[in-house]
Amino acid sequence: MKELIKDLQKQALSFKIDSREDLEAFRMKFLVKKGMLNDLFSKFRELDGQAKKEFGGPLNDLKQKVQSIYDDKSAELLSNEAAAGPVYDDSLPGLPLDAGSRHPISIVLNQMIDVFMKMGFSISEGPEVEDDWHNFTALNFPENHPARDMQDTFFIDEDFSLRTHTSSVQVRVMESEDPPIRTISPGRVYRNEAISARSNSFFHQIEGLYIDKGVSFADLKQTLYLFVQEFFGEGTKVRFRPSYFPFTEPSAEMDIYLGVTTEEDRRLTKGSGWLEILGCGMVDENVLRNNDIDPETYSGFAFGMGVERITLFKYGVKDLRIFFENDIRFLRQFQGEE
Ligand code: PHE
């Protein structure tokens, strides 16, 4: 018996365990019901009383030793595996990827940009935190103009505010480029207004600026007319109404005709069928002079349109606040749209 115990211990100690397979082989050899350890116990049970007394202790020690070899190796393998990182199974099917979607404002903005790019406009950008010169003064706002009033503008300090329109980018472009200039400036603007279904304290605009020799109001009308035909569909009617902006002279606002057939159109146009989408005009001579462009040689037009209103119309959305709530159920509906 003594020899058998010794021999089994030797075998267990010298068993090479480098992998889970080895570990399992070890278990099969020594620890299962029909394994060597149990074999030895069966033999032990056949011994007489005296021999049982003699070998009971050593045999139990052996059993514990073999079990702890198994336990230690098992723990060691586990920690090695953890250190080596996760095991990848290339044959498993992938987890479904929840693809995001573009925001409806971005979709419409991109479509508008596309139309102007086709007409040869470049894209320019400016900062959202803007100084008084770029947002107001260079644009010919008189010192006490109501648009500078606290009601409309979020002031940051005496010199800086959040831009109230993308017209500030007109100034930045004129500063850094010589005519001919043909550019659009999409971006976010801020106004200190009460939030409602139709207005928000921030929204998006696309500014347009075209300066060259001999640019006329007819060019402005034709450019905007072309845009409307491309964007809203051929045959879409437009009208220009005289208006006022400090930085354009003459100034106008442009409406597109949606009609009054659907409830939606009536609501959006307040019953008139016409939806105002932009302000525009010929760049005021003072603005050109403020930016060192000679009004004797050059003339130009500018326009600025709101993106939210057009998006409301395009998707039949009733309240623009939903654009900024980031409700996933709303945003998901635009999956797959560019
Ligand atoms: N900046 C004007 C606005 O925000 C729009 C505009 C742009 C008007 C360019 C004329 C020319 O209302």
Side-chain angles (χ1 to χ4, degrees), residues 164-167 170 189 191 203 205-208 245 247-248 251-252 278-281 301-305:
T164 57
H165 51 186
T166 43
S167 301
Q170 283 188 38
V189 302
R191 286 191 203 168
F203 52 97
Q205 290 187 327
I206 292 191
E207 190 82 9
F245 300 102
F247 37 95
T248 47
S251 303
L278 60 86
C280 62
F301 65 71
F303 57 85
M305 59 180 97

Side-chain angles (χ1 to χ4, degrees), residues 122 160 185 197 254 292 332 335:
S122 66
F160 289 94
S185 320
M254 192 184 81
D292 293 327
R332 274 222 181 98
Q335 239 160 23

Side-chain angles (χ1 to χ4, degrees), residues 34-322:
K34 290 186 173 148
M36 289 176 77
L37 209 55
N38 262 345
D39 248 20
L40 214 52
F41 272 94
S42 314
K43 290 202 174 86
F44 172 77
R45 274 190 290 279
E46 284 156 22
L47 297 178
D48 58 32
Q50 183 57 36
K52 271 190 179 140
K53 259 191 197 144
E54 191 181 335
F55 296 115
L59 192 55
N60 268 324
D61 286 350
L62 174 69
K63 187 183 169 186
Q64 265 169 28
K65 227 174 251 162
V66 175
Q67 184 65 49
S68 74
I69 291 175
Y70 178 84
D71 291 344
D72 291 352
K73 278 288 174 189
S74 174
E76 189 186 313
L77 282 173
L78 210 65
S79 85
N80 286 348
E81 280 164 14
V87 179
Y88 291 107
D89 182 348
D90 292 345
S91 67
L92 283 175
L95 294 171
L97 261 188
D98 206 2
S101 54
R102 263 186 221 287
H103 194 281
I105 298 287
S106 302
I107 296 170
V108 169
L109 203 59
N110 288 341
Q111 288 170 350
M112 291 164 84
I113 289 171
D114 276 353
V115 175
F116 285 113
M117 298 267 281
K118 270 197 231 164
M119 291 190 222
F121 282 80
S122 66
I123 296 178
S124 45
E125 285 180 325
E128 293 184 11
V129 174
E130 192 53 284
D131 55 35
D132 184 85
W133 170 257
H134 291 92
N135 198 73
F136 296 122
T137 307
L139 288 165
N140 199 36
F141 276 82
E143 206 59 62
N144 53 1
H145 193 277
R148 294 183 180 212
D149 199 291
M150 295 294 285
Q151 277 178 358
D152 297 318
T153 309
F154 287 112
F155 287 97
I156 289 172
D157 58 24
E158 277 198 12
D159 302 319
F160 289 94
S161 63
L162 295 176
R163 68 179 177 197
T164 57
H165 51 186
T166 43
S167 301
S168 55
V169 190
Q170 283 188 38
V171 181
R172 295 206 168 262
V173 173
M174 286 187 258
E175 265 170 8
S176 60
E177 286 173 37
D178 292 325
I181 292 170
R182 186 162 29 170
T183 189
I184 53 167
S185 320
R188 189 177 274 200
V189 302
Y190 301 83
R191 286 191 203 168
N192 196 355
E193 275 173 17
I195 295 169
S196 73
R198 289 175 68 90
S199 71
N200 195 19
S201 50
F202 66 87
F203 52 97
H204 297 77
Q205 290 187 327
I206 292 191
E207 190 82 9
L209 179 68
Y210 186 22
I211 298 176
D212 203 347
K213 288 176 182 152
V215 176
S216 71
F217 203 90
D219 297 317
L220 167 62
K221 284 175 82 172
Q222 188 57 28
T223 302
L224 293 176
Y225 188 69
L226 261 175
F227 166 75
V228 169
Q229 302 310 306
E230 273 280 317
F231 191 82
F232 294 98
E234 234 163 281
T236 306
K237 281 200 281 182
V238 303
R239 75 177 181 192
F240 288 82
R241 283 177 293 104
S243 184
Y244 171 77
F245 300 102
F247 37 95
T248 47
E249 180 60 33
S251 303
E253 280 171 317
M254 192 184 81
D255 304 337
I256 58 168
Y257 191 67
L258 304 182
V260 287
T261 27
T262 70
E263 173 70 24
E264 185 68 17
D265 291 343
R266 275 198 297 278
R267 195 183 54 78
L268 217 60
T269 65
K270 293 184 188 144
S272 72
W274 292 98
L275 181 72
E276 181 209 317
I277 62 163
L278 60 86
C280 62
M282 300 305 291
V283 179
D284 195 287
E285 290 191 2
N286 287 336
V287 175
L288 294 177
R289 252 182 248 115
N290 285 341
N291 291 290
D292 293 327
I293 294 173
D294 181 8
E296 301 298 324
T297 316
Y298 292 105
S299 59
F301 65 71
F303 57 85
M305 59 180 97
V307 180
E308 272 72 4
R309 189 169 285 189
I310 291 174
T311 312
L312 283 181
F313 160 68
K314 192 162 172 197
Y315 290 113
V317 173
K318 292 198 168 58
D319 187 330
L320 64 75
R321 284 172 289 195
I322 199 170

